[in-house]
Amino acid sequence: MQNSQPALRIFACMKTRVDGRCSCGASGASEIILALRKELERRGLSAGHIDVHPSRCLDRCQDGPILLGFTGSVAESVTPPRKLDEELLRRPKVCFEHVSVDQIPAIVDRLLRTRLMNRSTHRRRSPMLELVLFLAVVSSAFQYCRAQQDTSRALSLREGVQLVLSQNPNVQIAMLNSSLAKQEQHRALAALLPHASVSASEAIDRTNNQSTTGANGYLPQHEGPFQVITAGTQFNATVFNAALLEHYRAEQSAHAASLADAKAVREQMVQLVVNQYLLCLRLNSTVSSDEAQVALAQRLFDQATHLEQAGAGTGLDTLRANQKLKRQQQALIVAREEAQTALYELVRLLNLPPSTTLTLSDSEEYVNHSFPEQEATIEAAYAQRPEMIALRCRVEAAKRDLASARGERLPSISLSGTWNEQGNRPDNLIPTYQYQAGLSIPLFTGGRIRSEVTSSTLRIDQLKQEEQELRNRIAQDVKTATARLDAALQEVKVADDGLNLAKEEVTQARDRFEAGASDNIEVVTAQDTLARAYDDQISALFKVNQAKADLARSVGHIEITYEK
């Protein structure tokens, strides 16, 4: 039997954020629910009077823990999303913010007063309306939680490469261009293949014999009108046409060039993503280094403060330590801002939703100081770089275009014919046909062929010059990337030694200051040296990883390298 009195439903937010930000779950919401239920049981209140349910996020994390109460018969499994249904919001409700366990008895007293005040205004709703509200709230909660889950994701470098190859618009445009070149190749092939068609027609003819034959008085003036019914097939085929054949071969080479262009775009986008990912890792390392520097500056400031209070230090030392702390805090703020904006650029490159929050999962590989040797030769780069492959295909296509232009001077042979059933009535149709072979020999084209030959020759010369320039640029890329990688590897070793020395300098300067052997000028100087040492190590690691990516790009296999 349904209770005629209005029930009071209490929802307690249980949202816990994995990134450590403020949330109701992290503020003790589970303890609040347990204490509230125990207080209700102690007062003898059954579930039909006041019910307590956990809820998903109410989008008020800064006010948590939060209790939100509604009067009316609401399904027990309902958990309100961030934005509640308007019909549900019109119900009388109570809200408690920053709830603690010791406030539970007072909250229960207010809940009881709220229930009594709303008893006279309560109206029973139809079961159908309750079902609609239930489905609307549950659906909204599900969509909201799914959207919340989709806005954050961990990303490895390999996953970033796969995403940019599958989602980046530039890569998709390059693939579409290669598909268009493939259709051009099919169109050129179609000109070489036989063509056939089927047709049917019905006509009424009347002819003037005198105008047609020139006879006057010997034949009737006209014939007809009479009906003509025709149905049959027509065909034509190219037996030999050197120009069309070479044009088809040129389109084949053009298609191969478009595929190489698409490969070059893929390599370029992979390089951009790898460089941006490495930049984000570098900036994250800078943030971690600055956080460590802030913590160290805070400890040194506390030490200076204690020594001043103990009479062993001066106020100038404390002011100097405090000023150093503020500088480190400012550097940390700038580093965090740069790291965040770099992630935004990575989201754009990967064509992800703007609301996506990325977390880089390959930070351990970035700080790894073991680097495998990479061999790269200029000859291998000449053979593997997609830009070089595309240019060679274009040279071949230009040569085919030249052969096609010259082929227009040669004779061409073709066949054509028709076969029809023809008559003036359906019952007297008879076969009619016509077959013919054609030979075409160009005699004079007004200089068109000569102009096309000259244009094709100039195009070949232009492409050969571009090929030579590309070879020089590839050789420079390989040698530059190799030299940078060798220098960066040496720089990492020096930076590691410098960092260890800077740490030792800070330790000794701090011990001397604590012992009263010197003021904290040595400590502040050692801090600056340590900060520069951290920056040098981070910069050296970034240079090594970027040089590895540049070397892989210079030989044309960066996609293969980073997809593993």
Side-chain angles (χ1 to χ4, degrees):
M1 181 174 181
Q2 188 176 4
N3 190 356
S4 60
Q5 297 180 350
L8 185 60
R9 308 289 184 183
I10 304 300
F11 295 101
C13 177
M14 297 291 292
K15 175 68 176 181
T16 301
R17 299 186 181 275
V18 297
D19 54 4
R21 289 185 294 166
C22 178
S23 61
C24 295
S27 302
S30 58
E31 292 82 0
I32 298 299
I33 291 180
L34 183 60
L36 181 58
R37 287 176 174 171
K38 288 184 178 180
E39 181 65 20
L40 293 175
E41 292 178 358
R42 187 182 67 83
R43 300 194 184 196
L45 299 175
S46 63
H49 294 81
I50 300 178
D51 292 341
V52 182
H53 302 280
S55 165
R56 292 185 175 92
C57 185
L58 299 176
D59 199 24
R60 295 174 61 180
C61 299
Q62 70 278 5
D63 299 327
I66 296 177
L67 294 179
L68 192 62
F70 291 93
T71 61
S73 56
V74 183
E76 292 184 2
S77 61
V78 170
T79 55
R82 175 169 53 182
K83 295 183 179 180
L84 298 174
D85 185 86
E86 293 183 0
E87 175 65 24
L88 195 59
L89 284 175
R90 284 197 291 267
R91 299 183 179 185
K93 59 182 178 295
V94 291
C95 180
F96 301 96
E97 301 173 351
H98 303 293
V99 179
S100 60
V101 175
D102 54 357
Q103 296 174 345
I104 295 301
I107 290 176
V108 173
D109 291 336
R110 180 174 174 185
L111 291 177
L112 292 175
R113 291 195 301 269
T114 301
R115 179 176 176 272
L116 292 174
M117 290 173 60
N118 292 319
R119 179 180 299 178
S120 59
T121 61
H122 172 70
R123 293 178 298 175
R124 294 178 56 187
R125 293 181 172 89
S126 65
M128 181 59 68
L129 180 58
E130 296 295 339
L131 178 61
V132 171
L133 290 175
F134 168 74
L135 294 177
V137 173
V138 172
S139 176
S140 300
F142 175 76
Q143 295 294 335
Y144 170 74
C145 292
R146 186 174 65 174
Q148 288 292 101
Q149 293 175 355
D150 292 342
T151 56
S152 61
R153 62 179 300 171
L155 183 74
S156 66
L157 181 55
R158 180 173 178 270
E159 291 172 342
V161 171
Q162 293 174 346
L163 281 175
V164 75
L165 293 179
S166 61
Q167 297 185 177
N168 187 270
N170 293 319
V171 176
Q172 302 305 316
I173 291 173
M175 296 304 296
L176 292 174
N177 289 335
S178 64
S179 299
L180 290 174
K182 183 66 174 178
Q183 298 308 313
E184 292 294 332
Q185 178 186 341
H186 290 329
R187 191 176 294 111
L189 177 61
L192 293 171
L193 298 178
H195 294 181
S197 61
V198 178
S199 64
S201 65
E202 180 181 1
I204 298 177
D205 293 345
R206 184 186 184 193
T207 61
N208 190 322
N209 292 331
Q210 293 180 359
S211 62
T212 302
T213 63
N216 188 7
Y218 299 102
L219 296 174
Q221 182 183 16
H222 65 274
E223 294 288 344
F226 53 87
Q227 185 180 24
V228 180
I229 300 175
T230 304
T233 62
Q234 300 84 36
F235 75 93
N236 63 79
T238 299
V239 178
F240 174 77
N241 190 316
L244 293 180
L245 179 60
E246 293 299 332
H247 178 65
Y248 168 68
R249 292 173 177 174
E251 291 297 337
Q252 281 184 314
S253 299
H255 178 236
S258 68
L259 291 176
D261 286 337
K263 176 66 175 177
V265 173
R266 292 169 65 90
E267 291 273 308
Q268 180 183 6
M269 297 311 301
V270 169
Q271 184 183 25
L272 289 176
V273 168
V274 170
N275 289 342
Q276 190 66 28
Y277 194 97
L278 293 176
L279 177 61
C280 292
L281 289 177
R282 174 185 178 177
L283 295 175
N284 286 346
S285 298
T286 302
V287 170
S288 300
S289 173
D290 288 344
E291 289 175 347
Q293 292 297 312
V294 168
L296 175 61
Q298 182 66 53
R299 291 195 299 270
L300 294 176
F301 172 68
D302 295 340
Q303 181 183 25
T305 302
H306 294 158
L307 290 176
E308 181 185 2
Q309 293 174 352
T314 65
L316 180 60
D317 293 335
T318 304
L319 289 175
R320 191 181 293 121
N322 192 15
Q323 196 270 342
K324 179 62 177 178
L325 174 61
K326 299 305 179 183
R327 288 206 309 268
Q328 293 294 344
Q329 290 175 343
Q330 183 179 5
L332 177 59
I333 294 173
V334 174
R336 285 174 175 172
E337 181 270 331
E338 292 178 348
Q340 191 64 40
T341 54
L343 286 175
Y344 295 156
E345 176 64 18
L346 184 59
V347 169
R348 185 193 66 82
L349 285 175
L350 299 179
N351 197 29
L352 294 172
S355 60
T356 303
T357 302
L358 292 180
T359 302
L360 306 185
S361 60
D362 284 348
S363 57
E364 294 298 330
E365 295 184 7
Y366 178 77
V367 298
N368 185 13
H369 291 216
S370 61
F371 305 102
E373 295 184 0
Q374 290 185 326
E375 296 183 359
T377 62
I378 297 177
E379 295 301 324
Y382 288 158
Q384 298 175 5
R385 281 285 289 266
E387 297 92 336
M388 180 62 72
I389 297 174
L391 194 54
R392 288 170 182 166
C393 291
R394 288 193 175 89
V395 171
E396 182 64 23
K399 291 179 179 179
R400 294 298 182 182
D401 286 334
L402 176 60
S404 175
R406 290 172 175 171
E408 293 188 15
R409 293 171 175 166
L410 301 177
S412 61
I413 302 173
S414 62
L415 293 175
S416 62
T418 61
W419 188 94
N420 297 312
E421 289 284 344
Q422 193 175 65
N424 58 6
R425 295 191 311 271
D427 59 353
N428 66 356
L429 299 177
I430 62 172
T432 62
Y433 49 85
Q434 178 185 16
Y435 304 109
Q436 63 181 16
L439 174 64
S440 176
I441 302 175
L443 297 178
F444 179 72
T445 60
R448 178 182 59 83
I449 296 178
R450 182 173 64 255
S451 176
E452 291 179 355
V453 170
T454 303
S455 297
S456 299
T457 303
L458 293 175
R459 176 61 176 163
I460 292 174
D461 294 339
Q462 180 186 12
L463 290 174
K464 286 184 177 180
Q465 294 300 320
E466 292 180 4
E467 181 180 1
Q468 183 60 43
E469 173 61 23
L470 181 59
R471 291 174 67 89
N472 296 337
R473 190 169 72 249
I474 290 175
Q476 179 187 2
D477 291 343
V478 173
K479 292 189 293 185
T480 302
T482 303
R484 287 178 177 174
L485 180 59
D486 293 340
L489 290 173
Q490 298 176 13
E491 190 175 345
V492 167
K493 296 179 182 179
V494 175
D496 289 342
D497 295 338
L499 180 61
N500 293 330
L501 293 174
K503 290 180 179 178
E504 182 64 24
E505 180 182 357
V506 171
T507 301
Q508 293 184 13
R510 182 178 180 181
D511 293 342
R512 284 170 54 83
F513 175 61
E514 186 175 3
S518 66
D519 56 17
N520 70 340
I521 295 180
E522 294 182 359
V523 178
V524 174
T525 303
Q527 282 182 272
D528 292 334
T529 303
L530 181 62
R532 288 194 299 270
Y534 271 117
D535 291 339
D536 292 341
Q537 186 193 49
I538 293 171
S539 176
L541 290 172
F542 174 74
K543 289 179 180 179
V544 169
N545 286 278
Q546 189 173 38
K548 288 170 54 182
D550 293 341
L551 184 60
R553 174 71 177 95
S554 67
V555 296
H557 55 65
I558 187 172
E559 178 181 347
I560 299 175
T561 301
Y562 287 94
E563 267 194 331
K564 296 179 181 179

